[in-house]
Amino acid sequence: MTGFLIFAVLVLVAIAIWQMTKIFELSQLRTERTEIANDTDNKYNGYLLFAFLIFIYGITIFSFAKYGKMLLPDAASEHGQDYDQLMYISMVIIFFVQTITQALLHYFGFKYRGQEGRKALFYADNDRLEFIWTIIPVIVLAALILWGLYTWTNIMDVDEDDDPMVVELYAQQFSWTARYGGSDNVLGDANVRLIDLDRANILGLDEADPNGQDDIIVKEIHLPVNQKVVFKMRSQDVLHSAYFPHFRAQMNVVPGMITQFAFTPTITTEEFRQKPDIRDKVRRTNALRAEWAAEGRSNTDPWEFDFILLCNKICGKSHYNMQMRVIVETEEEFNAWLAEQNTFKENMPSE
Ligand SMILES: [Cu+2]
């Protein structure tokens, strides 16, 4: 409310000043026509161009300094390194070109501002110039696009020789469920029409399919480090999107079809938590949460870093909270965890 009042007062003061200048101008005896910009006006506008240039450079530097820490940490997957490199190079090129062209644009605006007696030069075209400013972007963009396509094909190419671990991601409003193929690493057939909540068959597994008997259904993903995993995704209701920010992976989850994405985690959760930038982030978040706790707000328990699977399609009112924890651990830890889980068959009530 106070903010609004201050804003209203400022607006009113600005209007008052504007009206006063108008009265002042009207009271002056003028000989020249005021609606045509004179040299002084053009000079001021030229200087304002420089002021705007400083503003855009300033806000860029400010944003990097203040919000740079909000960017994602280093990638935790094998392909994530290539992906980040592509992103990094693209950004460097964009910022480099932007910085130079903006400076030139504003400088020329100032240099060739209107001046008494100066006439614009009629300059129809210049083939050589046009060739240069066409061919340079063509080469740079073609290189970026080809590199991007090559990287994308590499990421999306799931080679069965890699012997990836198969995990199903099942999306529904508003939660995720994961299913492991079990000892045979093959997922049993499933269909939403077979969902039977009375029998606790929440994913609609075909009870007659032998491949499904040893499947393991969980609410938390565990992954062994350095093992390729392929996620097969199904949706029960609407479009969702499986987004693993730390692994640089995202794929739409579409009702009626199976989509997939594969990646290899390269670092365990424990190791990732020890990284200086992650520790710093956790410290900052928990300092904020402590402040909130002191104010008596809810949801202020200390936070510990975890990899996470998020939904990245606005799929309904609780979309924001559609997430699942992802734990990357050593192979021994993973096997121990897996051994503790019940299979589909063990969980089914007997007839
Ligand atoms: Cu969703």
Side-chain angles (χ1 to χ4, degrees), residues 211-264:
N211 289 331
Q213 304 303 316
D214 63 347
D215 285 7
I216 288 163
I217 297 169
V218 288
K219 285 303 224 180
E220 186 176 82
I221 305 176
H222 284 241
L223 299 172
V225 69
N226 295 325
Q227 154 81 51
K228 189 158 196 161
V229 49
V230 55
F231 290 98
K232 307 268 182 186
M233 303 161 194
R234 277 198 300 144
S235 166
Q236 176 173 308
D237 34 45
V238 297
L239 262 187
H240 299 272
S241 185
Y243 177 41
F244 297 89
H246 306 101
F247 304 103
R248 310 294 191 261
Q250 180 173 332
M251 182 51 67
N252 281 352
V253 188
V254 188
M257 67 184 287
I258 293 173
T259 49
Q260 68 170 29
F261 200 110
F263 64 78
T264 311

Side-chain angles (χ1 to χ4, degrees), residues 156-172:
M156 294 312 288
D157 175 43
V158 185
D159 197 344
E160 294 305 320
D161 295 343
D162 295 345
D163 196 22
M165 182 170 79
V166 182
V167 178
E168 178 182 71
L169 285 181
Y170 185 80
Q172 70 195 101

Side-chain angles (χ1 to χ4, degrees), residues 200-215:
N201 188 355
I202 51 168
L203 300 187
L205 263 64
D206 181 354
E207 292 180 40
D209 186 352
N211 289 331
Q213 304 303 316
D214 63 347
D215 285 7

Side-chain angles (χ1 to χ4, degrees), residues 174 176 239-241 311 313 315 319 322:
F174 298 95
W176 295 100
L239 262 187
H240 299 272
S241 185
C311 178
K313 277 274 180 295
C315 57
H319 152 78
M322 184 169 162

